[in-house]
Amino acid sequence: IKNQAKQAAQSAYRTKVLFDTNQLLQQAKDKNEIVSATSNQLIKLLRKDIVFYLADGEVLDTPHIFSVTEENLESCISENEKTVAGWVLKNNKRAGATTGTLSNAKCLYLAVRSSMVYGVVGIVMGEIPLDPFENSILLSILGECALALENEKNAREKQEAAILAKNEQLRANLLRAISHDLRTPLTSISGNASNLLSNGDSFDNDTKKQLCLKCRCTVNACSAFSARLLSPFVAGPCQLIRNSQF
């Protein structure tokens, strides 16, 4: 009876850990908070040290270490251990301690996966293997973690897409404004030049000079506008090259 009561209490505790994990992951604001919440809940469940690798494409990021003991865990992030974790990322299968694959590792490595692998969790096994119920709760927590990481990724990509769309709209508005601000003076220059070409013989020198001065003034205004527009991107102001006959 005592054993049954103990087992019931353990089952209730582990189930509560799983329930609390779901609540904590819903409150997490970014990847690091998701990793921290998941790892601390795994410590509560297993009372074992945890090494958590987030995946960056097909490679693993720097490991996050969460310790429940006073032991030095440097050996758990050695190159050999990282190789095993990398194998899990690539093959989407568990490996390491207590498995038939790369079993010389100190940690048991499992993929954090949903539609893709978002990371790899290493559990420092020691001498005590996981019992079936612990393993079941462990997989459920990792599934919740993967879902949280997937939601975080989707939200981040949606935000980046919104920022990109906003930037594109600003770009389009800027181009329209530039087009309008340049079209008017260029039309004026074109009209005065056409007038000189078509009717220049009938104009006196003062009229020709006035038309040329208008063209030059308008060109100077365009140059000043271009200089202000480009000043954030170039070292010096735009220099207008004037024709000596003007």
Side-chain angles (χ1 to χ4, degrees):
I1 295 177
K2 288 183 179 181
N3 287 336
Q4 290 178 348
K6 183 178 179 180
Q7 290 176 356
Q10 286 180 338
S11 297
Y13 173 78
R14 292 167 178 172
T15 302
K16 183 177 185 302
V17 169
L18 177 59
F19 176 79
D20 291 344
T21 301
N22 180 272
Q23 301 298 310
L24 290 169
L25 290 176
Q26 288 183 21
Q27 299 170 14
K29 297 181 178 63
D30 55 34
K31 290 189 293 185
N32 288 332
E33 289 190 9
I34 293 172
V35 168
S36 179
T38 301
S39 299
N40 286 323
Q41 290 302 102
L42 290 178
I43 286 176
K44 287 183 180 180
L45 173 69
L46 306 173
R47 293 180 174 82
K48 298 179 184 294
D49 298 325
I50 302 296
V51 180
F52 199 121
Y53 296 85
L54 281 171
D56 183 8
E58 297 182 355
V59 298
L60 294 173
D61 279 344
T62 302
H64 299 259
I65 301 174
F66 299 85
S67 178
V68 71
T69 67
E70 299 297 327
E71 297 181 11
N72 187 334
L73 297 180
E74 288 299 318
S75 61
C76 296
I77 54 173
S78 65
E79 289 304 315
N80 180 64
E81 295 291 316
K82 290 179 180 178
T83 299
V84 181
W87 186 94
V88 172
L89 173 66
K90 181 179 179 181
N91 294 278
N92 196 8
K93 296 179 181 179
R94 67 171 60 196
T98 72
T99 74
T101 305
L102 305 172
S103 57
N104 290 330
K106 291 183 176 295
C107 297
L108 166 63
Y109 293 96
L110 302 99
V112 180
R113 61 192 180 192
S114 179
S115 58
M116 57 182 287
V117 179
Y118 291 94
V120 174
V121 166
I123 303 167
V124 184
M125 291 305 298
E127 301 297 327
I128 304 175
L130 303 180
D131 65 45
F133 189 64
E134 277 181 327
N135 186 69
S136 175
I137 298 294
L138 165 63
L139 294 179
S140 296
I141 289 177
L142 294 184
E144 292 285 348
C145 177
L147 181 60
L149 288 171
E150 185 172 62
N151 290 339
E152 188 275 340
K153 176 177 178 289
N154 291 339
R156 179 161 34 87
E157 290 178 347
K158 183 177 179 180
Q159 184 180 22
E160 290 171 354
I163 292 173
L164 180 61
K166 183 178 180 180
N167 290 340
E168 286 297 319
Q169 184 62 47
L170 289 173
R171 176 177 174 273
N173 291 340
L174 177 61
L175 289 175
R176 279 195 294 270
I178 293 171
S179 176
H180 176 269
D181 289 343
L182 288 177
R183 187 181 298 115
T184 300
L186 290 175
T187 300
S188 174
I189 294 170
S190 177
N192 288 329
S194 295
N195 205 2
L196 281 170
L197 289 172
S198 301
N199 306 307
D201 292 340
S202 62
F203 293 156
D204 58 31
N205 289 335
D206 286 342
T207 302
K208 292 179 181 179
K209 184 176 180 180
Q210 287 299 319
L211 290 173
C212 289
L213 287 173
K214 286 182 180 179
C215 287
R216 187 172 71 177
C217 183
T218 306
V219 169
N220 286 341
C222 288
S223 177
F225 173 76
S226 299
R228 291 194 302 273
L229 181 67
L230 299 174
S231 59
F233 309 104
V234 296
C238 295
Q239 297 296 323
L240 174 64
I241 301 176
R242 295 183 174 89
N243 191 312
S244 59
Q245 68 178 352
F246 288 173

